[in-house]
Amino acid sequence: MKTAVEMIEAKKRGQTASREELRAFFGGYMEGKVADYQMSAYLMAVCLNGLEPSETLALTECIIESGTSRPRENFGRPVIDKHSTGGVGDKPTIVLLPLLACMGALVPTLAGRGLGHTGGTVDKLEAIPGLRQMFSWEEGQRLLKENGAAFMTQSDEVARLDKRLYALRDVTGTVDSIGLITSSILGKKLSESLDGLVLDVKYGSGAFMRTFEEAEKLARSLHKVSTSFGVRTEVLLTDMNEPLGEWAGNGVEVMEAMRMLRGEKTEERFYNVTMSLAESMCRLAFPNDRKDFRKELEQKLKSGEAYERFLKMISGQGASAETVSKLDEILAPPEHCLVVKAPESGYLREIDTFALGKLLITLGAGRKVLTDKIDHKPGLRFKLRRGEYVDKGEAIMEVYSSRALDISEIPEIFSIGLEPPETGEYIHHLNKQAEK
Ligand code: URA
């Protein structure tokens, strides 16, 4: 078997390691026989030379096996999950869990916290006072049995190797490798015994993958590895060159998700991306059913059934009756509102969505360092979408904050021009993409 230095040297030369070599190397790391500095050097070599598909598969296996996950009881329902690579205003998970549970699926999603400039579902839902998201195995099972879904976060026991590798990657500039991202995401997701998995890979200025081409490479890698584990998988590529929905923040995003769950009208992109993900989840959950899932999903929203399920879920997870009765008040944005106006007339050409994520961090809605406490109140409200015409002085965005702000604190985010920008489809299906 190769030593740690030999593994690093081999990857530096672009050689492919065998499954056995990788198992010994990552196993040795978990046992303390490979040092953090050696693993960091190896990860950098991977970032420069990439992982072959066979190596990505082997690393995914190592991550799954490093945890103590137990196969979940499925209570006679198809087990379905979704994952998003993250963005700004990315809130479909809050709608999808109760909605898919109403359709008869079991959705054991383990959500995460914010990462970099992107928000996390766990942080958003903490805007609901008293809501618990960390459960023992038995408690999690009970909640899933009762409601078909639960808002849960990952315990320390799942995918231990990923926890250690991710912490190293975060501080050594080694996050952006397709192979490492694939194994990190799927190592966690496939630790649950899933029948189907829907992946939402974001591209654009507010995503980790800035270009469509990069996102497509990641999408293909995720699809290949996930299906080779025998999990039915669909991958959507969705646009993050502008935030998803009318609102971005924490409490305000839960509020927007609740509006959709109540069947109220919500921003078109948010609605369509969420419904496309929901349809994919239904196709994977009920592969022999050829019915029009969209119609049935819409019915669950309009009838109030999905919202009822959401309220039942949060009540079962610690939200008091008083909290539930005052949710709209609790999740409303704070009183200070600064309006960002168009400096000139023209078409809204570009939105620096990454800068919007950073602005939310400045407002306290995200973390600068791991130990920062989140302010769940601040939020951004988008009055215009890319490609729309704006008159000089018209509002483009409202910034809601817990303290009074000055316009000089808002970075340049929007570019306006005389020509409309190119705006095309914002939802792409990987498999249909391959057919083109
Ligand atoms: N999300 C993950 O879980 N892992 C990565 O490596 C990147 C995004």
Side-chain angles (χ1 to χ4, degrees):
M1 227 18 89
K2 285 195 173 88
T3 64
V5 176
E6 283 166 346
M7 287 294 286
I8 299 163
E9 289 285 357
K11 192 35 87 185
K12 238 170 64 184
R13 287 192 293 272
Q15 290 170 2
T16 305
S18 70
R19 183 168 178 262
E20 289 67 35
E21 284 169 342
L22 288 165
R23 288 175 89 86
F25 181 58
F26 287 107
Y29 178 60
M30 291 307 281
E31 288 165 17
K33 293 179 192 153
V34 174
D36 277 345
Y37 53 82
Q38 290 173 314
M39 186 53 77
S40 304
Y42 177 80
L43 293 170
M44 184 55 80
V46 167
C47 277
L48 298 175
N49 287 326
L51 286 179
E52 287 301 315
S54 62
E55 294 177 302
T56 306
L57 195 67
L59 176 52
T60 309
E61 278 173 1
C62 290
I63 291 177
I64 295 170
E65 287 165 18
S66 69
T68 48
S69 66
R70 289 178 256 178
R72 284 197 188 274
E73 162 77 52
N74 64 12
F75 310 115
R77 288 175 249 182
V79 184
I80 208 84
D81 203 350
K82 64 87 63 169
H83 178 83
S84 158
T85 56
V88 178
D90 188 25
K91 60 195 85 64
T93 299
I94 303 170
V95 177
L96 290 168
L97 265 59
L99 183 56
L100 264 292
C102 286
M103 296 290 288
L106 193 77
V107 204
T109 300
L110 300 175
R113 295 197 178 272
L115 185 67
H117 69 286
T118 68
T121 303
V122 173
D123 293 330
K124 292 172 198 183
L125 286 163
E126 276 179 356
I128 301 174
L131 191 82
R132 289 174 55 225
Q133 297 179 80
M134 176 71 91
F135 300 102
S136 67
W137 178 266
E138 290 72 21
E139 254 186 308
Q141 284 297 94
R142 182 180 55 76
L143 290 168
L144 284 172
K145 185 176 182 189
E146 271 172 24
N147 295 324
F151 294 116
M152 296 190 288
T153 187
Q154 190 181 312
S155 83
D156 287 342
E157 289 174 18
V158 177
R160 285 196 191 97
L161 172 59
D162 180 63
K163 243 198 164 102
R164 290 195 55 196
L165 290 182
Y166 200 88
L168 268 191
R169 289 167 61 208
D170 206 19
V171 292
T172 54
T174 53
V175 171
D176 59 342
S177 146
I178 301 262
L180 294 178
I181 296 175
T182 300
S183 56
S184 169
I185 291 173
L186 293 180
K188 285 176 285 225
K189 285 286 150 187
L190 303 179
S191 290
E192 298 281 340
S193 327
L194 300 179
D195 293 309
L197 176 62
V198 174
L199 295 149
D200 180 9
V201 178
K202 308 274 185 201
Y203 61 89
S205 63
F208 288 111
M209 300 284 140
R210 292 299 169 103
T211 65
F212 184 83
E213 289 69 32
E214 261 184 292
E216 198 180 5
K217 273 191 212 154
L218 175 60
R220 290 197 187 290
S221 169
L222 286 164
H223 188 265
K224 192 177 179 119
V225 174
S226 182
T227 49
S228 63
F229 276 87
V231 175
R232 297 193 287 271
T233 308
E234 284 199 21
V235 189
L236 301 189
L237 291 131
T238 64
D239 180 79
M240 197 25 82
N241 282 304
E242 57 188 290
L244 192 64
E246 185 182 350
W247 292 89
N250 293 295
V252 291
E253 286 194 40
V254 179
M255 174 188 74
E256 191 176 13
M258 276 169 37
R259 286 184 184 155
M260 180 164 170
L261 281 164
R262 287 199 287 242
E264 293 168 21
K265 186 161 170 43
T266 45
E267 193 272 329
E268 186 184 302
R269 278 183 171 234
F270 163 49
Y271 183 83
N272 285 333
V273 168
T274 308
M275 290 306 259
S276 297
L277 291 167
E279 283 179 284
S280 288
M281 290 170 86
C282 287
R283 273 196 297 274
L284 298 182
F286 312 106
N288 300 322
D289 228 333
R290 297 229 151 252
K291 66 181 164 198
D292 183 355
F293 290 116
R294 182 87 173 215
K295 238 186 185 158
E296 203 172 322
L297 288 161
E298 280 168 354
Q299 188 52 31
K300 302 275 180 212
L301 296 173
K302 283 200 189 109
S303 66
E305 191 184 338
Y307 187 59
E308 278 303 312
R309 184 69 62 108
F310 170 80
L311 294 182
K312 207 164 159 247
M313 283 168 67
I314 63 168
S315 301
Q317 295 186 219
S320 68
E322 197 195 348
T323 294
V324 169
S325 70
K326 290 191 181 153
L327 271 180
D328 288 283
E329 214 175 296
I330 292 168
L331 299 171
E335 56 179 302
H336 297 288
C337 176
L338 180 80
V339 180
V340 177
K341 295 178 181 159
E344 60 204 329
S345 298
Y347 292 96
L348 183 53
R349 286 187 59 84
E350 301 299 337
I351 300 177
D352 185 345
T353 313
F354 175 75
L356 287 173
K358 289 288 206 194
L359 174 60
L360 283 167
I361 294 175
T362 310
L363 298 178
R367 292 181 190 79
K368 287 195 190 88
V369 291
L370 211 61
T371 48
D372 276 353
K373 277 234 168 321
I374 291 230
D375 183 350
H376 294 97
K377 279 273 173 192
L380 307 174
R381 183 182 190 183
F382 310 104
K383 308 290 285 183
L384 282 180
R385 313 305 309 180
R386 268 184 79 233
E388 285 182 333
Y389 191 84
V390 61
D391 284 318
K392 183 177 174 177
E394 202 183 320
I396 305 180
M397 175 172 77
E398 293 169 355
V399 182
Y400 289 89
S401 56
S402 299
R403 62 176 174 88
L405 287 176
D406 187 85
I407 195 75
S408 62
E409 294 179 70
I410 311 295
E412 208 157 291
I413 290 169
F414 305 99
S415 76
I416 292 169
L418 292 177
E419 294 293 319
E422 267 185 40
T423 52
E425 286 187 22
Y426 52 90
I427 302 171
H428 310 259
H429 200 288
L430 178 71
N431 301 346
K432 290 199 184 128
Q433 194 64 22
E435 287 161 17
K436 278 186 188 169

